[in-house]
Amino acid sequence: MKAKPLKITFDLAFPLMLNHRWIHLDGIIGHLIWHRANDPNRFDSKTPTPIDEKKFKRTITLKDGIPCASVGVFEEEDYRAVNYVKRPEPDLMSKGKLDIASGYFRAWRLAGVYNPSLQVTFYAHGRKDLLEELFADLTHLGDNIRMGWGLIKRMQIEQIDHDCSIMRDGVAMRPIPVEAAREYECAYPLAWKPPFWAAENVRLCVPPGAKVRLK
């Protein structure tokens, strides 16, 4: 099967939580490829984990080295904060002195950001059959999935007429290194390819949503 322009739609049973401004399709694909080939319990977060480049390139087209995979497009451009708090029950506190600075009874507070949309869409240029095979392993999108955030209810991949994976209507659909742009509205240091947490993948890029003209 040949690579084609694709639209990938995820319907969610619960909203998606973010630990970054965008959720990247190529990051999801790279993670799924790595997960199939490695033991996740041996993951070393201190060093970048190499992705199987051959399988990645078979799955997603590269245009001048840029993966043809967009960031997620949400139904609503609305972002909300949520807080998680853990503290001992009042009756436990009244029975004596508890150490809430460490150990089992440690008190903590975590903040998160979520988008209330129940549908997120990605655009890609790649192999539909290989993407469907990889996405069979995907149950959630985003962060804090152990709490149910981003639970996937349904996924659909459909072929479309035009490739919208890098740019659509003159707007960047993913981080684009400025070297690939003829003109651009703005640029910031951003990770432009997976793994997105690796410092060496940060480059001056046109951000998603900014106007751009490619070379």
Side-chain angles (χ1 to χ4, degrees):
M1 180 177 287
K2 292 184 178 180
K4 301 286 185 181
L6 303 171
K7 177 181 178 182
I8 304 161
T9 304
F10 290 94
D11 292 318
L12 305 177
F14 204 72
L16 185 154
M17 179 166 281
L18 298 163
N19 57 13
H20 181 58
R21 172 63 179 81
W22 303 284
I23 181 166
H24 302 263
L25 179 62
D26 49 342
I28 295 170
I29 294 167
H31 172 77
L32 292 172
I33 290 173
W34 181 89
H35 199 276
R36 281 198 170 193
N38 296 273
D39 179 2
N41 295 319
R42 298 180 63 186
F43 176 66
D44 181 3
S45 62
K46 295 181 180 179
T47 57
T49 306
I51 297 170
D52 186 336
E53 292 287 347
K54 289 185 178 179
K55 187 164 186 179
F56 187 81
K57 291 177 181 178
R58 285 199 304 270
T59 306
I60 287 293
T61 305
L62 301 184
K63 183 177 181 181
D64 297 327
I66 303 173
C68 292
S70 76
V71 298
V73 179
F74 296 104
E75 283 182 300
E76 303 178 39
E77 282 297 318
D78 183 13
Y79 298 88
R80 305 177 186 179
V82 63
N83 291 300
Y84 298 98
V85 178
K86 179 200 170 187
R87 56 178 175 265
E89 295 294 331
D91 60 332
L92 290 174
M93 294 292 291
S94 64
K95 291 178 181 178
K97 188 175 181 181
L98 286 178
D99 180 8
I100 62 171
S102 62
Y104 182 80
F105 293 105
R106 181 173 68 90
W108 50 258
R109 182 186 186 94
L110 294 176
V113 174
Y114 74 97
N115 184 295
S117 303
L118 292 179
Q119 187 177 89
V120 57
T121 302
F122 298 91
Y123 295 91
H125 191 283
R127 294 239 332 239
K128 183 173 182 285
D129 57 334
L130 295 181
L131 286 170
E132 287 176 334
E133 179 187 344
L134 282 174
F135 287 148
D137 296 345
L138 193 63
T139 59
H140 298 71
L141 292 174
D143 197 19
N144 279 340
I145 63 174
R146 66 191 183 281
M147 298 180 182
W149 292 94
L151 177 63
I152 297 170
K153 183 167 63 175
R154 181 170 50 252
M155 186 274 297
Q156 180 182 14
I157 303 179
E158 53 188 315
Q159 185 177 329
I160 56 179
D161 294 332
H162 303 289
D163 181 17
C164 302
S165 59
I166 296 179
M167 182 183 71
R168 181 177 66 174
D169 299 329
V171 173
M173 294 295 287
R174 57 160 297 115
I176 302 172
V178 294
E179 295 85 358
R182 187 184 306 276
E183 296 178 7
Y184 52 90
E185 181 180 17
C186 56
Y188 305 100
L190 294 171
W192 68 282
K193 66 176 183 177
F196 283 90
W197 50 265
E200 54 264 47
N201 289 339
V202 175
R203 191 182 296 182
L204 189 63
C205 292
V206 182
K211 295 179 181 179
V212 65
R213 285 184 60 197
L214 300 178
K215 290 182 178 178

